[in-house]
Amino acid sequence: CNTYEDDFLEIPELEDLDGAASGLIRLQEIYKLYPQNITNKTSLNADEAYHVGWVAHEERKFQHAFLWFLYSLNKLSKNSVTTEKELLYYLKSSAYWFGSLPQIYFDQNL
């Protein structure tokens, strides 16, 4: 970072990323969009989509979180920091909390 530091380059803080994620979630909510519709021109990678899903999960917007985790799972690659196991856990958790997954399946290990 020090090599490329100048007055115009600032690496976003986590709160900035959380704010951007919340904005995407609001767009999804207001316009009834799926993640692939929101990211049509500028596709997010698996890790970026996971972060949006995580923010939605933290905001207790589980249906939106589920869709972002599913989008992230479809974008998963060898270069992703996010793991398949992690995504499956959050997919299961989101589905349970918005009422699409019975308790018995939620309690089972991945």
Side-chain angles (χ1 to χ4, degrees), residues 14-61:
L14 184 58
E15 66 184 29
D16 296 326
L17 297 176
D18 290 350
S22 290
L24 290 174
I25 295 162
R26 272 187 243 116
L27 285 173
Q28 180 183 15
E29 196 168 42
I30 291 169
Y31 296 106
K32 310 281 188 252
L33 298 172
Y34 290 96
Q36 58 269 26
N37 301 120
I38 294 171
T39 61
N40 192 17
K41 302 271 185 199
T42 56
S43 181
L44 299 180
N45 67 34
D47 299 320
E48 294 163 337
Y50 168 80
H51 187 77
V52 177
W54 183 84
V55 169
H57 197 276
E58 289 294 304
E59 292 179 358
R60 304 185 60 77
K61 296 179 178 180

Side-chain angles (χ1 to χ4, degrees), residues 50 57 66 69-70 72-74 76 82-96 101 105-106 108-110:
Y50 168 80
H57 197 276
F66 180 85
F69 293 135
L70 189 58
S72 181
L73 186 63
N74 290 329
L76 211 55
T82 307
T83 66
E84 183 177 22
K85 184 176 181 175
E86 195 172 22
L87 282 169
L88 291 174
Y89 170 80
Y90 278 107
L91 274 167
K92 187 168 78 166
S93 172
S94 298
Y96 170 76
L101 186 68
Y105 294 112
F106 180 71
Q108 293 177 356
N109 291 330
L110 290 175

Side-chain angles (χ1 to χ4, degrees), residues 3 10 13 39-40 58 85 98 107:
T3 305
E10 290 185 35
E13 299 290 327
T39 61
N40 192 17
E58 289 294 304
K85 184 176 181 175
F98 76 79
D107 291 337

